[in-house]
Amino acid sequence: MSSEPSTESNLPPVAPEVLAEAVENLTARLRKKLDAAIEGCAAGARPGEAGGVTVRFGEDALVTLRPGPGGAVTTAEQATCTCLLAPRCLHRAAVLGAAPLADPEDLSAPDGADVPAPDRAADPAAAGPGVAAGPGTAGGSVPGPVSGSVPGSAPESGSGAKPAAGSASGTTSESLPGPRSGSGESGTASASASGPVSVLGVGAGVGAAPGPAAEVLTAAQLRAAAALWRAAAEALAAGVTAGGAVVQAELLRAAHTARLAGLPRAEAATLRVVRGLRAARERSGGHRLADLTAAFRELLHTAGLLASGTAGGPALIGTVRRAYQPGGSLRVYGLCREPVLSATGYGGVVTHLLAADGARYSVSDVRPGGLARARGAGSASVALGGAALDHAGLARGGLRIAGATVSTDGRLGAGRGVQATPLRGVPWTEEPAASLFARPAAESVAARLADRDADPEGADPDLIGCEVIVVGAAGEDLLVREVRADAPLLRLRAAHPHPELPHTANLRRIAAHPGLLLRVLGRPDLDRAATLRPLAVGPVPGAQHTLRLPEEWLGRADLGYDVLQGGHFPPGTAAAPSGAEGPDVLADSPLWRVRRLLESGIAGGRRAVAEAARTAEPRTVFGPLRRAGFGTAAELATALAAEADRRPRDVFGRLTDPSPDGYARAWLAASTHLAAAERSLVAASWAWGEARVSGEARTR
């Protein structure tokens, strides 16, 4: 639930379409100056009249942003400038470009409010689960685009081209939208510009699971998806170095078109890319190139599937609002609290709940306010059916709810007809919470990975529980070993690394007690080998060297709110397991060569990948991949390098094929295969003991 917070800004959030329109209205000369003009705007913001914010440019230009009731600038009239060129001026566009982007969900009704009954079957945006931020791809075990028509050309009603037959090395040949422009080595197959084009999209040995029934899209949705694919391909070719405000505005304009066409998942994927480009260009501390790479993969994959003419089910379309359905009467018991910080300045808390039948629920309280809101919300009152509880009490108590409303991801709504009565809390040693710790962590993670394959854009993975023994510290992380035979070494990483939240400090205190037995409740990090993001810890029943928590804590400590002290730990020391950390099956595999190539393309654009192809022989560079058994990864990486360097010119030196479609297809194929291979290694890291990992892990 947590995400890296962005740099604090005095400017209010701005709706993406307002910024896109402001940049579109600039002349070509002013667009070249936009990136330089944006620098320093946020620092120069000052409070204005009636809740507005002003930024001054010289003597004659004063830009004023007047946010609406929701705290965001949602219309062009709310952003004004006093210069003669306004509203088509550089000053206004620069201030809007410096402001944080508002999330469409943040602009809608508050979470948990009454929502009309989902009588919206005709609205494609209302069909399917809510859109959650995070990397991923749709389909079976390995995502991949499906065959279809060229973007911008609507297919016949009910028609969809069948995927091509499987090709060598265990790959399947699938198609992406866009005109075909040449072929790269082993990576693409040629096709005419007017027909479907083929690209290697999945890895060896991985089959495609059947998905939900496909839906035929409308002509407006096809046009929006095609425009989004073109904008995403251009942004990918530009990379971070050339992905300034103008490139970002093109993405935002395409995202707004997708939203109007009823494609909210595509819009959400685009906003993640734009925010990632901004963070990378601003050198934000929360920026990770791997996250931006995953965001580009999700955007290209979603846009490609949609532009092909048939969506892979309602999940690919998404929904703007979280739809709440009647849930009847419920008895739920608190598990823990989790602080929430969003990149758009929102903060709050999510309290995780468990029903008697094992169903997962949650109550959230997330509003504008950032870090201060996240810290204070942990003890704020629960706005649910008049229950006289705060979130701290609910996390260690329970509720009997009548007339409950529940969203598709298990969130409890706070409608007018909901009535709630407090219940006695259930400790982790009693059912239903005790069953969370009875299952080996490897089995629980395997189930979460299967859920991710079935719905990559679904909610965050459910919490899992396990009993562990502390090994020691590894930097800011905590090394533990599950209390079972042949268990691998696990890495506990702070659920949120913000220094003002106690996650990291609590893990440091636990690391100072090797041999300590713990029960850990957390969310598995499905992008890292054997890594768990712990939310709460508790003592192991019957163990001597374990935590000693106050009775009112009901046998658990919320790592994001409760602060562990010396008196919470047992005296003396205990025998600790071996601290020898085995190889990281993910980091030590030669797949890092493909990852570095893909990330260099994100950072430096197509030119950086082409330069890598010129300075080294691809077959030599990717030889270790073939020797380690990653033949398909080597072929796709070689094809990507070749496509990046393919810039055919006529006798006058002009490009004969300036379209970035071929490069985008090759990049997406290599990225999709890499994601699938890494997921397999992550699953293995949880299941294998140290001896087996040492024997079978690949080396550089």
Side-chain angles (χ1 to χ4, degrees), residues 20 63 73-74 90 98 120 122 171 174 220 243 268 282 311 318 340 360 433 438 449 494 573-574 628 642:
V63 178
V73 176
T74 57
L90 180 64
R120 300 176 288 175
T171 62
E174 300 181 346
E282 295 168 0
V340 175
R360 311 293 180 92
L449 286 168
T573 59

Side-chain angles (χ1 to χ4, degrees), residues 25-61:
N25 289 336
L26 295 179
T27 64
R29 179 179 64 84
L30 293 179
R31 289 187 183 188
K32 295 178 181 179
K33 301 179 180 181
L34 183 56
D35 288 325
I38 288 176
E39 297 180 4
C41 284
R46 299 291 182 268
E49 298 179 357
V53 178
T54 62
V55 179
R56 179 168 292 281
F57 292 83
E59 295 295 330
D60 301 325

Side-chain angles (χ1 to χ4, degrees), residues 339 375 496 498-509 558-564:
R375 297 177 64 183
H496 202 294
H498 199 291
E500 296 297 324
L501 295 174
H503 289 285
T504 302
N506 281 329
L507 290 183
R508 286 199 194 105
R509 292 187 181 95
D558 295 331
L559 296 179
Y561 290 103
D562 300 323
V563 178
L564 294 175

Side-chain angles (χ1 to χ4, degrees), residues 222-655:
L222 286 173
R223 288 192 298 270
L228 191 56
W229 167 267
R230 289 192 294 269
E234 292 285 355
L236 177 70
V240 171
T241 55
V246 175
V247 172
Q248 295 170 26
E250 291 296 325
L251 284 169
L252 293 177
R253 182 172 61 174
H256 183 56
T257 304
R259 183 186 187 189
L260 295 178
L263 302 174
R265 173 175 167 178
E267 181 200 20
T270 309
L271 294 182
R272 286 195 293 274
V273 168
V274 174
R275 291 193 181 103
L277 287 173
R278 283 188 169 193
R281 292 178 63 84
E282 295 168 0
R283 294 178 173 84
S284 169
H287 163 68
R288 290 181 64 248
L289 196 57
D291 293 338
L292 184 53
T293 303
F296 261 107
R297 179 176 65 246
E298 167 60 19
L299 173 57
L300 289 168
H301 174 264
T302 303
L305 278 182
L306 292 171
S308 68
T310 27
L316 191 65
I317 295 175
T319 181
V320 176
R321 281 286 295 143
R322 187 177 291 112
Y324 286 81
Q325 302 280 1
S329 297
L330 296 175
R331 282 176 176 259
V332 293
Y333 302 94
L335 289 175
C336 64
R337 294 168 291 169
E338 177 182 6
V340 175
L341 278 175
S342 80
T344 53
Y346 281 65
V349 64
V350 171
T351 299
H352 297 276
L353 308 168
L354 187 66
D357 60 357
R360 311 293 180 92
Y361 297 95
S362 64
V363 174
S364 66
D365 182 7
V366 181
R367 301 176 187 176
L371 176 63
R373 182 76 178 76
R375 297 177 64 183
S379 55
S381 298
V382 176
L384 184 67
L389 275 179
D390 58 18
H391 281 272
L394 179 58
R396 295 181 171 92
L399 286 176
R400 179 189 292 112
I401 306 173
T405 57
V406 186
S407 72
T408 53
D409 58 356
R411 297 205 178 192
L412 296 175
R416 288 185 297 271
V418 178
Q419 296 180 349
T421 305
L423 295 175
R424 180 189 70 86
V426 174
W428 285 359
T429 54
E430 299 179 13
E431 294 296 344
S435 60
L436 296 175
F437 304 93
R439 188 180 187 185
E443 294 183 10
S444 300
V445 172
R448 305 308 184 269
L449 286 168
D451 293 340
R452 170 70 66 87
D453 289 338
D455 184 11
E457 277 302 287
D460 290 333
D462 284 337
L463 306 184
I464 67 171
C466 56
E467 293 187 356
V468 301
I469 183 170
V470 174
V471 175
E476 295 295 325
D477 299 339
L478 172 64
L479 296 180
V480 299
R481 193 180 298 280
E482 195 174 0
V483 184
R484 63 179 177 86
D486 197 29
L489 205 64
L490 305 182
R491 184 179 293 265
L492 303 188
R493 178 162 293 184
H496 202 294
H498 199 291
E500 296 297 324
L501 295 174
H503 289 285
T504 302
N506 281 329
L507 290 183
R508 286 199 194 105
R509 292 187 181 95
I510 295 173
H513 298 269
L516 184 72
L517 288 168
L518 292 172
R519 277 189 164 184
V520 178
L521 185 68
R523 181 177 291 109
D525 190 334
L526 302 184
D527 297 322
R528 290 180 172 86
T531 300
L532 186 69
R533 303 273 187 174
L535 300 182
V537 295
V540 174
Q544 293 294 325
H545 201 73
T546 188
L547 288 175
R548 299 181 176 182
L549 300 178
E551 184 177 349
E552 61 269 19
W553 285 17
L554 203 66
R556 66 258 203 175
D558 295 331
L559 296 179
Y561 290 103
D562 300 323
V563 178
L564 294 175
Q565 305 290 347
H568 297 151
F569 295 92
T573 59
S578 170
E581 187 176 1
D584 188 325
V585 69
L586 183 60
D588 292 345
S589 76
L591 289 173
W592 66 267
R593 301 172 185 272
V594 183
R595 190 183 312 114
R596 184 173 65 179
L597 182 67
L598 294 170
E599 292 181 355
S600 67
I602 294 297
R606 178 174 183 167
R607 181 174 299 180
V609 178
E611 186 65 25
R614 297 191 194 104
T615 56
E617 172 58 40
R619 292 196 171 275
T620 301
V621 172
F622 302 120
L625 284 167
R626 296 184 178 87
R627 291 192 293 273
F630 296 108
T632 302
E635 293 300 321
L636 293 174
T638 302
L640 172 60
E643 180 63 31
D645 199 31
R646 190 188 62 81
R647 305 285 282 175
R649 299 180 182 272
D650 60 17
V651 293
F652 299 104
R654 297 172 299 192
L655 285 173

